[in-house]
Amino acid sequence: MKIAIFPGDGIGPEVVAQALRVLDELSLPGLTLFEGDVGAAAYHRHDHPLPEETLEMARAADAILFGAVGDFSCDDLPRHLRPEQAILGLRSELGLFANLRPAAGFPGLEHLSSLKPDVARSIDLLVVRELNGDVYFGEKGERDSDGGREGWDAMSYNEAEVRRIAHTAFRTAMGRGKKLTSVDKANVLETSRIWRETMIEVGRDYPEVALDHMYVDNAAMQLVKSPGQFDTIVTGNLFGDILSDQASACVGSIGLLASASLGERQTEYGTFGLYEPIHGSAPDIAGQGKANPVAAVLSLAMLLRHSLGCEAEAARIERAVEGILTDGVFGGDLGGSASTGEIGDAIVRKLLTIS
Ligand code: IPM
Ligand code: MG
């Protein structure tokens, strides 16, 4: 079993280091780890945010554990050299088109949410975000206009792209509450019209799943008003980026949520995938022990489950994380004072008490 480790920038290396301590504690047999450069760290060493050798390492692995990318030192670089291109490049080069972002309240920790406790308690949803298309990967550019320089970005989805994410979403919903909400802006966008029609078409293959549709503005409102109505949400790349950050604040902190990016490739042990916290590199707090490693640790749990077939170990990690949060081990993001390393210590100690 080969895991490629790409810690990246800012708080990425700190949170990944804690996830690796947890992995070490599990003593899984036959595990090989490789570490590669991505993001600003890679740019400064290899003049590119996603060097060819990193891509090769990614292709040779069964799974990737990713930290975060982005750094102030690269703010003035042209877009193709910016650290963010590392994660966008990995997603597209590796065909990782389905991003699963679960957001569920931690029992007894409703007070961490920005919502009222009984509203927070009702959250148990999963965002299936399309990851290889939309305005993220459309043509873009700058041109002259009567109003001065004009930036433009093309947004598109074709039926094949919508169909494959639709199948992932319906299958995911089948394994959950059998309710799928497709989020679009079909009252304004042609992209969304094709999206919606294709969702309805694919839905005929899954008669047990109740499919409904919601405009993205309404979905943003419903997510804070009554998040308990959602089970599985499927949406495009841009809307999914925004709604998943919002869902994390409803749970408590962006430092708690993990994600899996999956494609079609199967390995000997499961589905090949890239796993990362949904938070960014937060360069303003990097190196100060202020980052919450929980999202990275939970990303490791998702990696073990989806890519390595280690369900028992994944569940053990999730229980350990729930345990330390119930014990009140909080970092600054949750109003506590535990450092990144202390939270990692607590998770490792808790793991030893769980068989
Ligand atoms: C995310 C991030 C990325 C995205 C950035 C870093 C390019 O915000 O994974 O949600 O927009 O997809
Ligand atoms: Mg984002």
Side-chain angles (χ1 to χ4, degrees):
M1 296 190 287
K2 297 191 211 96
I3 309 182
I5 312 287
F6 299 157
D9 308 321
I11 60 171
E14 297 162 59
V15 296
V16 166
Q18 299 308 318
L20 292 181
R21 289 180 59 199
V22 170
L23 182 61
D24 197 44
E25 197 55 51
L26 296 174
S27 309
L28 290 170
L31 200 61
T32 317
L33 307 184
F34 306 88
E35 190 168 322
D37 291 327
V38 288
Y43 175 75
H44 294 307
R45 284 162 90 158
H46 315 269
D47 297 322
H48 199 279
L50 181 57
E52 193 50 42
E53 59 189 81
T54 300
L55 254 180
E56 269 165 36
M57 204 181 278
R59 290 200 178 98
D62 295 306
I64 300 165
L65 184 64
F66 190 94
V69 286
D71 188 66
F72 301 135
S73 67
C74 297
D75 279 355
D76 294 328
L77 288 177
R79 195 169 37 78
H80 72 281
L81 292 176
R82 288 185 58 104
E84 290 77 8
Q85 293 305 312
I87 186 64
L88 297 177
L90 284 166
R91 289 169 181 172
S92 64
E93 291 291 326
L94 302 172
L96 303 170
F97 65 87
N99 187 213
L100 309 185
R101 298 190 162 185
F106 291 89
L109 302 178
E110 294 79 8
H111 57 285
L112 299 178
S113 167
S114 52
L115 304 178
K116 290 182 193 138
D118 56 329
V119 179
R121 203 167 294 133
S122 70
I123 304 176
D124 185 359
L125 60 87
L126 191 145
V127 178
V128 179
R129 170 188 176 197
E130 200 289 331
L131 216 48
N132 279 179
D134 204 352
V135 70
Y136 269 68
F137 292 97
E139 262 188 75
K140 41 191 89 231
E142 184 187 304
R143 60 193 168 205
D144 292 326
S145 78
D146 294 345
R149 290 180 310 135
E150 179 175 80
W152 61 274
D153 303 84
M155 176 184 251
S156 69
Y157 266 122
N158 63 37
E159 291 176 292
E161 289 169 324
V162 182
R163 257 183 223 124
R164 66 179 185 179
I165 193 70
H167 281 291
T168 304
F170 277 103
R171 281 197 302 267
T172 305
M174 284 293 285
R176 294 178 46 94
K178 300 197 166 110
K179 183 171 184 282
L180 180 63
T181 304
S182 171
V183 173
D184 63 32
K185 188 72 185 172
N187 50 346
V188 178
L189 303 174
E190 282 300 296
T191 313
S192 287
R193 185 175 58 80
I194 297 295
W195 176 278
R196 188 177 287 215
E197 287 171 11
T198 310
M199 281 290 157
I200 293 169
E201 172 207 301
V202 173
R204 295 193 189 106
D205 294 348
Y206 302 86
E208 282 177 61
V209 177
L211 169 69
D212 64 358
H213 305 271
M214 208 178 263
Y215 297 138
V216 63
D217 48 350
N218 184 28
M221 178 180 74
Q222 298 296 335
L223 202 51
V224 288
K225 198 172 157 211
S226 53
Q229 70 185 285
F230 296 108
D231 173 56
T232 308
I233 294 175
V234 62
T235 190
N237 209 343
L238 182 62
F239 298 158
D241 180 41
I242 299 167
L243 292 179
S244 57
D245 268 31
Q246 193 185 338
S248 76
C250 297
V251 168
S253 160
I254 198 165
L256 296 175
L257 296 202
S259 83
S261 302
L262 308 172
E264 262 146 21
R265 193 183 130 206
Q266 297 297 310
T267 69
E268 224 178 298
Y269 318 96
T271 304
F272 172 71
L274 179 150
Y275 301 83
E276 57 172 326
I278 81 158
H279 64 68
S281 60
D284 51 325
I285 59 160
Q288 300 168 37
K290 288 184 181 166
N292 188 344
V294 162
V297 171
L298 291 177
S299 297
L300 171 67
M302 290 187 93
L303 181 156
L304 293 171
R305 171 174 296 124
H306 294 284
S307 287
L308 299 187
C310 299
E311 173 57 38
E313 288 78 4
R316 205 173 145 211
I317 295 175
E318 287 163 353
R319 282 175 57 207
V321 167
E322 258 175 49
I324 67 127
L325 292 173
T326 309
D327 292 347
V329 181
F330 299 147
D333 60 324
L334 298 174
S337 60
S339 69
T340 311
E342 284 163 354
I343 299 172
D345 290 342
I347 298 173
V348 167
R349 271 201 309 273
K350 191 56 95 178
L351 211 52
L352 298 174
T353 69
I354 299 169
S355 52

